Amino acid sequence: MQLRSPGPTVGVVGGGQLGRMLGEAAAPLGIDLLVSDPTPEAPAAPVARDQVVGTFDDEATILELAEQADYLTFEIELTDPDALERVYEETGTPVHPAPATLRTIQDKLVQKRRLSEAGVPVPAFRAVDSPRELREALEVLGYPAMLKARKGGYDGRGNVPVESPTDVETAFEAIDGPAMVEEFVDFERELAVMACQGEGEVNTFPVTETIHEAEILRQMVSPPRADSAVQERATDVALEVLDVLEGRGVFGIELFETVEGEILLNEIAPRPHNSGHWTIEGCHTSQFEQHLRAVTGRPLGTTERRCPTASANILGDVDREPAQLRGVESVLERERAALHWYGKEEVYHLRKMGHVTLPGDVSADSTALLEDVEACVTPLTFD
Ligand code: ADP
């Protein structure tokens, strides 16, 4: 006799840290997770029922997942929306969010056009296919600006600042492919809203402030150090964004708060996002549980914040080598601090290896929490 969970089986394309945290959230719900990833023993494998080994866009791999699952989702944008659609037609296993939504989001230019047509506030942008077009666009948008690869960028890879006309040629060469250029936003801070589309309902998590260094997310805190009108506006924009997206699931909506207090949309992730990791300890329902509830068509959970909460990423700081984290005591000794290790076998510079979350007292100050969570991760090393 084989004992099975009471809940459905969810197939997830991608078995990285997001898959791992989905697996951790799935178990108490009685949901079984199946993941696919090209790396055998991927981070999500230990918490999943099984892993199919195959690339994210390989149709046979996606089909193998779908045949064994009641619902299909993805934790990485590098999968193939056409393959997802064909697999759905063949198996009838519903895919959430909709592959069409993934297709829109995969191309930063298509994404920005779609959102701007829908009235969502976005930075001024232009499509540019040659250095000449880039120069012409910047005569209108002005310098500095941000040149972005339309596809495949992550953690700032694929973005090149253009400071002056003399940078145009080299910036365009660095992108090496279809691109778009955006006005450089003079932001006061960056914010993110995790928003969820469920079966006939939507909800949003409390606004997060995100702190990037060299375009990589380092820290996040909620509540943000933004006034309440700005937070309401951020939430309204996130809800406007949801109107444009098809299919169920959590979406990470990255925003700029300009120095004038306006909200502009930076980009959308069609999945749980690094900026929402703090919700595991900080909210009554985590972004991962919420995503599973949404994908499986169950009622959404309350997103209320339990207490002010900050997180800091643990980033690789050495050349490529087998991962070995030292100094974990600094985290474990700290009251309330929670360690999340992603179980990656190799570490390299700036690779996301884990994160630490620090929930504070009800009246904790966000700046102090950020300092405290940083003090937890600073002693961690890979040497
Ligand atoms: P990725 O897709 O690689 O995460 P993003 O386009 O989200 O890249 O950009 C990463 C970071 O780069 C942002 O969080 C922000 O700090 C900075 N950035 C991106 N676009 C702009 C812009 N138009 N103006 C100013 N900073 C920007």
Side-chain angles (χ1 to χ4, degrees):
M1 186 181 78
Q2 198 186 11
L3 278 176
R4 300 295 286 266
S5 307
T9 296
V10 175
V12 185
V13 178
Q17 65 263 28
L18 298 176
R20 184 173 171 112
M21 289 182 270
L22 280 171
E24 290 164 357
L29 297 173
I31 292 175
D32 267 353
L33 216 66
L34 267 180
V35 299
S36 73
D37 200 279
T39 310
E41 296 302 318
V47 296
R49 190 171 83 212
D50 205 359
Q51 175 187 345
V52 180
V53 178
T55 53
F56 306 121
D57 57 356
D58 177 49
E59 193 161 330
T61 302
I62 300 171
L63 185 65
E64 200 179 328
L65 270 186
E67 279 170 342
Q68 300 175 68
D70 301 297
Y71 300 91
L72 204 58
T73 187
F74 43 88
E75 56 98 92
I76 187 154
E77 285 94 320
L78 297 177
T79 185
D80 176 1
D82 298 337
L84 288 171
E85 271 168 0
R86 284 192 295 268
V87 165
Y88 168 63
E89 275 158 29
E90 197 168 331
T91 60
T93 305
V95 186
H96 289 285
T101 294
L102 173 63
R103 195 176 289 119
T104 303
I105 287 176
Q106 272 178 337
D107 184 327
K108 286 186 177 180
L109 176 66
V110 174
Q111 183 188 145
K112 282 264 157 65
R113 278 191 178 143
R114 180 82 189 80
L115 290 162
S116 119
E117 280 161 18
V120 174
V122 298
F125 66 94
R126 294 274 188 292
V128 285
D129 289 326
S130 65
R132 185 180 57 81
E133 283 185 13
L134 177 56
R135 204 170 288 109
E136 283 168 7
L138 292 178
E139 278 163 21
V140 183
L141 297 180
Y143 293 87
M146 191 69 103
L147 183 65
K148 298 187 172 187
R150 284 173 57 177
K151 288 193 169 178
Y154 69 98
D155 289 347
R157 281 168 246 202
N159 285 358
V160 185
V162 192
E163 304 288 344
S164 70
T166 52
D167 291 346
V168 163
E169 297 282 342
T170 43
F172 204 84
E173 272 166 32
I175 291 287
D176 192 28
M180 62 173 288
V181 65
E182 225 170 63
E183 66 172 306
F184 205 89
V185 180
D186 188 10
F187 56 80
E188 181 67 30
R189 59 179 71 75
E190 291 186 78
L191 301 172
V193 177
M194 308 308 303
C196 187
Q197 199 144 251
E199 179 62 50
E201 57 175 330
V202 293
N203 70 18
T204 55
F205 283 84
V207 182
T208 307
E209 177 176 344
T210 56
I211 296 146
H212 296 75
E213 264 171 56
E215 296 191 39
I216 292 199
L217 180 56
R218 301 280 172 148
Q219 299 171 320
M220 55 236 100
V221 67
S222 187
R225 292 167 293 183
D227 66 38
S228 54
V230 168
Q231 294 185 49
E232 271 171 38
R233 179 80 191 114
T235 304
D236 288 346
V237 169
L239 289 169
E240 285 170 31
V241 169
L242 280 191
D243 277 345
V244 177
L245 308 174
E246 288 169 53
R248 304 193 297 260
V250 161
F251 295 88
I253 298 171
E254 297 180 70
L255 306 164
F256 297 117
E257 176 193 340
T258 66
V259 285
E260 293 85 23
E262 300 288 315
I263 295 293
L264 297 176
L265 180 117
N266 176 23
E267 64 169 351
I268 308 167
R271 51 171 172 77
H273 187 260
N274 194 166
S275 51
H277 289 357
W278 67 273
T279 61
I280 297 175
E281 286 81 12
C283 288
H284 286 280
T285 308
S286 78
Q287 62 164 346
F288 299 101
E289 173 171 347
Q290 197 76 315
H291 187 66
L292 291 167
R293 285 176 179 243
V295 166
T296 58
R298 293 174 170 193
L300 300 183
T302 171
T303 52
E304 202 184 326
R305 188 172 49 229
R306 291 177 194 265
C307 54
T309 304
S311 292
N313 283 339
I314 303 170
L315 300 175
D317 59 357
V318 292
D319 289 336
R320 197 174 279 272
E321 58 182 57
Q324 205 174 66
L325 184 65
R326 297 184 204 280
V328 171
E329 297 72 23
S330 68
V331 180
L332 302 184
E333 275 165 15
R334 170 89 208 199
E335 224 171 276
R336 298 183 180 210
L339 176 67
H340 292 263
W341 177 244
Y342 301 155
K344 296 181 184 177
E345 289 195 351
E346 258 196 345
V347 55
Y348 49 79
H349 278 285
L350 300 179
R351 188 174 200 198
K352 290 177 181 168
M353 301 302 294
H355 73 269
V356 172
T357 295
L358 190 63
D361 288 330
V362 185
S363 58
D365 170 72
S366 292
T367 304
L369 265 181
L370 283 167
E371 281 166 14
D372 289 350
V373 79
E374 196 54 35
C376 293
V377 296
T378 309
L380 297 172
T381 63
F382 290 94
D383 286 329

